[in-house]
Amino acid sequence: MPPFLHTVTDEMLEWVSGDRNAIAEWEYGTTDGVAYHKVHRQTQLAFTEKSQQGEWGNWYWATDDSKDMTHQSGADTDVRGQFATTGKLSNGDDTNFRAISSVWPVFGFSYDLGSVDSSPVSTLFSLGLTQDEAIQYEGASQYAPVASLWKSYFATELAALSFFHKDYTESSNLASSLDRRVAQDSIATAGQDYLVVTSLSVRQAFGATQLCGTQDKMYMFLKEISSNGNMNTVDVIFPAYPIFLYTNPELLKLVLTPLLENQEAGKYPNDYSIHDLGSSYPNATGHSDGSDEKMPLEECGNMLIMSLAYVQKSGDSDFLNDHYSLLKQWTSYLVEDSLYPANQISTDDFAGPLA
């Protein structure tokens, strides 16, 4: 008789908070043929990060609700020990909500994959974070929360979860199509080594972005990763903007719009371009005192170049008309100050002032 194959995978509670002493809650449920573990911080801290982790929202760990699937929540040693001993989980739920580091709760799924033969067998797991309100933003009006864009398409978190999980085939095909396009264009341009750089760059650029707002008024916010977490940093958008133009020029408009709205509303006192839209993600609350990092020449030039690039690629000439006053202001600043610039830093701020 052929051997039987089982698989197990679990999510650890560390996803919930950067504070390992934070109390977490969790539950198991099913919806529309999808089984899920839902975990979250018991006391959520909106628009707050600790150790680069969001302290609000609900994490979902999901798979198909199948007769061959078992589940379990509990201490890491118990859940993994149960599978190691029996080859499946107990369908038991640990209801002792506690600190993340207290007997380390995990949330597992196990599948009976049947007997081993030459036919491939696959299982599907989904992991996602839902936040009703994603960003705190000061644009044309005062500080206000901005909803996650998924809220405009789904009435509930579970509806979004079900769609996301069942959309795997379509989304995987789309992702593979983009990978093939990047590979073909990169190799044609500069060879295999260039593809290594571009394929990684695509993932890093989009991994730092978040779509928010509504279908009628969308924004894209960008976190400055691997540094200090600034919001929509102009000189970080600048090296990322080619991939936005390459995939969809509208994305460049969506990431520039928050910067433009804030400054056109008079929320920034300097006559050159702001450096970033907030010193700490996810708070895009600007710099009303003008005390952001001083990079006037670089940021003015970046904003003008990106605005022109967007219009040339999209054909949306209204964008220039809509923002003409601010673009002219930055151009005038460059004309007046570029020849003998004031002491300032550049995007390589670790090197110190330019003077």
Side-chain angles (χ1 to χ4, degrees):
M1 178 178 292
F4 287 85
L5 181 64
H6 302 264
T7 185
V8 67
T9 184
D10 62 58
E11 178 205 358
M12 296 178 291
L13 200 57
E14 290 95 309
W15 288 101
V16 171
S17 171
D19 177 4
R20 300 302 184 245
N21 294 315
I23 306 298
E25 291 189 12
W26 52 85
E27 64 182 76
Y28 172 81
T30 61
T31 180
D32 195 22
V34 178
Y36 63 87
H37 292 286
K38 173 185 175 182
V39 297
H40 58 88
R41 182 176 170 137
Q42 190 175 74
T43 301
Q44 302 205 12
L45 305 177
F47 311 119
T48 301
E49 285 192 332
K50 291 188 178 181
S51 300
Q52 301 293 307
Q53 288 186 239
E55 299 293 308
W56 80 110
N58 301 318
W59 283 94
Y60 283 90
W61 175 229
T63 191
D64 295 323
D65 183 18
S66 163
K67 64 180 179 61
D68 297 319
M69 182 273 293
T70 55
H71 65 87
Q72 187 176 342
S73 61
D76 55 352
T77 53
D78 292 342
V79 175
R80 295 165 188 168
Q82 166 73 19
F83 179 79
T85 302
T86 68
K88 60 183 179 180
L89 299 178
S90 69
N91 290 333
D93 296 318
D94 180 349
T95 58
N96 178 27
F97 303 143
R98 56 190 182 271
I100 294 169
S101 60
S102 176
V103 204
W104 300 101
V106 298
F107 312 91
F109 292 113
S110 173
Y111 271 98
D112 180 348
L113 300 180
S115 58
V116 176
D117 57 29
S118 60
S119 300
V121 179
S122 64
T123 59
L124 176 63
F125 300 96
S126 295
L127 177 66
L129 172 66
T130 60
Q131 295 169 327
D132 287 353
E133 295 175 341
I135 301 292
Q136 185 170 236
Y137 169 54
E138 183 170 25
S141 59
Q142 299 301 312
Y143 295 161
V146 182
S148 297
L149 186 58
W150 67 265
K151 293 282 291 180
S152 290
Y153 294 88
F154 302 99
T156 66
E157 292 183 349
L158 293 183
L161 169 66
S162 176
F163 176 87
F164 177 77
H165 185 76
K166 295 179 179 182
D167 191 53
Y168 170 76
T169 299
E170 177 68 14
S171 59
S172 179
N173 288 338
L174 290 171
S176 297
S177 177
L178 175 59
D179 275 342
R180 288 192 296 269
R181 179 185 168 198
V182 170
Q184 180 179 347
D185 292 346
S186 298
I187 291 173
T189 299
Q192 186 68 38
D193 289 346
Y194 185 55
L195 170 59
V196 174
V197 175
T198 57
S199 60
L200 293 174
S201 298
V202 171
R203 286 154 175 78
Q204 184 175 28
F206 282 107
T209 64
Q210 187 165 13
L211 287 168
C212 301
T214 66
Q215 295 182 57
D216 296 326
K217 184 62 176 178
M218 295 184 191
Y219 298 101
M220 188 163 78
F221 291 96
L222 181 148
K223 178 181 180 180
E224 183 175 335
I225 58 176
S226 304
S227 53
N228 59 4
N230 283 176
M231 292 287 294
N232 289 49
T233 307
V234 175
D235 57 290
V236 173
I237 298 173
F238 189 72
Y241 93 83
I243 190 60
F244 300 148
L245 288 185
Y246 178 81
T247 52
N248 185 348
E250 185 72 11
L251 296 173
L252 180 56
K253 177 182 178 180
L254 295 182
V255 77
L256 294 179
T257 295
L259 291 158
L260 295 165
E261 284 188 351
N262 176 272
Q263 292 169 91
E264 288 169 341
K267 304 296 178 65
Y268 184 64
N270 300 318
D271 55 358
Y272 49 78
S273 170
I274 200 170
H275 168 266
D276 62 80
L277 199 52
S279 58
S280 181
Y281 181 92
N283 296 290
T285 49
H287 296 279
S288 59
D289 60 357
S291 63
D292 54 320
E293 292 187 24
K294 298 296 183 289
M295 296 172 53
L297 295 185
E298 185 167 351
E299 307 303 36
C300 285
N302 288 340
M303 289 299 293
L304 292 169
I305 291 169
M306 288 189 289
S307 296
L308 178 60
Y310 163 70
V311 173
Q312 289 178 330
K313 194 70 173 179
S314 68
D316 178 15
S317 59
D318 288 340
F319 184 83
L320 295 181
N321 294 326
D322 293 342
H323 304 294
Y324 176 78
S325 295
L326 193 57
L327 296 172
K328 181 180 179 181
Q329 175 182 311
W330 293 335
T331 302
S332 298
Y333 181 87
L334 290 178
V335 170
E336 296 171 6
D337 287 79
S338 293
L339 189 58
Y340 301 103
N343 189 23
Q344 58 195 271
I345 60 175
S346 72
T347 191
D348 295 329
D349 49 11
F350 55 83
L354 299 179

